[in-house]
Amino acid sequence: SSGINAEWPLRPGVHDEVKAENDADNKMVTDKEDVVIEDIKKEETDENVEKKEAEVVEVAVPEKEKPEMIVLDDINDEDTPGPDEIPTAEERGFWKAVDDNPNDFASWTYLLQVVEKNGKLKQIQKAFTSFLALYPYCYGYWKKYADQMKKLISNEAAFEVFNDAVVAIPLSVDLWTYFIHFIAEWKEGDESEIRMIYRRAVEACGQEYRSDKIWEAYVEWEKQTDKYKVLGLYKEFLGCIVQRHQYHFDKFREWIFFTPVKDMVTMEDIKVLLAKHKEEAERRRKETELKRLEEEELARQLAVAAEEQRKIVEEERLAADAIREEKLKEEEKRREEERLKEEGQRAALEAANKEEDVEMEGAEEDVKMDDVKMDESTPEPGVDESTPEPAPVVTEEKEEEKEEEEAKEDKKGRKSKRGASKRAPAKRTSRRSRKDTEEEEKEASETKEEEKVEVVEDKEEARKEENAAVEMETAAEQENVVAKEEEKENVVAKEEEKEELKEENVVSVEKDPEEQVEKMTEDFTKVDMEEPLPDSVDALTDRQEAAVREQILLDMAPVHEQILAELEEVSCFEEGIKRPYFHVKELERIQLKNWKNYLNLIIEKKDTARTIILFERCLIACAFYEGFWIKYVGFMAEIDEEETSKIYRRACMIHLVKKPQIHLNWAAFEEKRGHLEVAREALDHIETNLAGLIAVTLRRAGLERRSGNMQQGADILKGAIDTCRGRETRDYWIMKYVAYMQFNMCDLEKTREYLKEQVERAQRNKRLYMKMLEVERCPTTVTPDVPNVIEVFQRALTSSLSVEDKAGFSHRRLTFLEEFGTDVGMIIDAYDDHNRNYKSLLEEKKRERESSSHSN
């Protein structure tokens, strides 16, 4: 099994299609090959060129196949070779280099340069035909070859070369440009020949994004040749998605406006355009009238809505006024209640003040009485002062108790702590002086008055703020109402202005219907509806000429808008294409991704012709990338089988001669549609260029088995045993051959005899003994039940096994189907599933094994 895993070919990835094995000193040729060739020549001498081994893209000339080029009769003569047929020593050196390695692009360029310099016809033809069979997309070398044929032979020979060139690379705008210049110079004055080459060019590459220069040259040539073909040519040109579309459309408009109508279209075309224009004018008139009626109805509805809205606003205003009046009444009532309450409080305060005054007078009298008693109780001189005087003490305590009781009663009566606290200082002991008492009373009275004033002012301010808030709210409501009314009035005013403008520009139908039609369509038609169609070009009026020009532009307007929309969608992808021409160097990853995304976008649009054009453009730049070819044939297989077969042949026979997967796909495609000879051709081709692949050998044997040629299939497997190298590989093919003999040939005797022969040759080969035991233990010739076996494989692949284990089962499934499968479509599906899910894992393991073996 290790041998199988090591040699099983898997489909390469998109970015691994081209082997980048070129050294830095090995210069490649760009699209301008002449300049690069000169640089290479300076760097390497002739001796280095003979020794150099090129390692560029794997492209080889199919053996035993003649290059698909025009070869003149004098090349194939069997006479003795002339001097121009014998290569020089320098030419022989380069021929040896390219024969040893046909993939050495640089050696090919040296060879072509040398044969051009020497100027020998036979050598030039041989070198260019061989090179262009390998690299048909090198348009610059087609041009060189044609120039040499023109120089050495004739224009006819150059024409044949150019003709083969545009067949090989039909989307090359530069190649078609060279071809057109060649024909124009060679067939000068022959309008039919020049027009034919222009037609071939625009039909082949007119949809190419950069083909505008061919279209532009064609248009300019027709302007000088046949002026009545220019308009139709412009319509074709401007209907293509090409670069600088807006620039070319502007030039088209200039041509329309500055070219006399008689020089653009014939009289029959003029009549058609004018009739169409009148029909369009009538349609526009009806549309305008309908629009006017709709606008009038809309204006009426808006007016009704505005009136209803005005009524609603008026009702809301009246309701707001009523609410405001109600609020004002409530506010007045509240103010009145507060006023009465304040007056009551004021009267109570005055009464309290009077009561305080009375109390104060009583207190003063008490103080006076205390002073008198104190004077009377003063001891006479000589009397013992230590004698106790209980009377004053008892009086003072009583007074304090009395004062406290009065203070409590005063607080309850007036409900004011401040008033009580202010009166307290006035009722002091009889020891204070009368003056201090009066001052304190005065201050307390002033403080009370100030507090009363502050309370009144605070209430007044609060009332004012409340009134102001109510007024502001009312004003805001009024402003909203006014704003809504103004808005409705503005709408109505605008509608009235529109109606006035209409009345100014459009005359009423009742007054003059014909004049109204003319006015309404004046900007569009420029033609009088009553003017009869002219009988000749000279009878055209200015309005009719303007109508013809306008109708031409109107016909092109939808196409122009559609092309602009398409260009906006694809411009980012077109700008991302940095190398639209062929080259053997690898493309950058971002370039490959850009092509892939661009193709996916166009495929989704379901435009077959446009998709094919883009695929062909892509494969010029990505000719060595197998993934793009497989994507192309997958798209085309659902559309045209014959064209798909041609695409397979181009890919396998020219560009991907050493890519096994696309060869296997081609063989399966041809086998599926019954073309067994073509399927054999595909498999034989890859076997010739890349011999020893297990998958190819199994497919060849399977093809013969499925077609009923059992013995041929057995011979293929037996031949693999004879030509293989290595014990493991030989044992693998022996096991496959034995299984083929047992189950497909149904011949147990020959199977036993063959195993005995192999055991005699390798008596220490354990595998052979195991196989003999297996044959004898199960001596059946019944072919395995393919559907049941595939079901088991599918169960394993959808289980919870590890990815590594599933990859192994997927690989075994491929081997089983190649040996016993009866439906080639099932084989292709298995390959696709394997490559999609397990290819990268197996490749990684293979690299790990290789690295470990190298390290060991």
Side-chain angles (χ1 to χ4, degrees), residues 435-448:
K435 185 175 181 180
D436 293 338
T437 303
E438 291 177 356
E439 290 179 355
E440 289 176 358
E441 290 175 355
K442 186 176 180 181
E443 290 178 359
S445 177
E446 291 176 355
T447 302
K448 289 178 181 179

Side-chain angles (χ1 to χ4, degrees), residues 104-119:
D104 189 351
F105 191 87
S107 294
W108 277 110
T109 59
Y110 295 143
L111 174 62
L112 295 176
Q113 184 182 5
V114 169
V115 297
E116 279 187 286
K117 180 182 68 174
N118 295 337

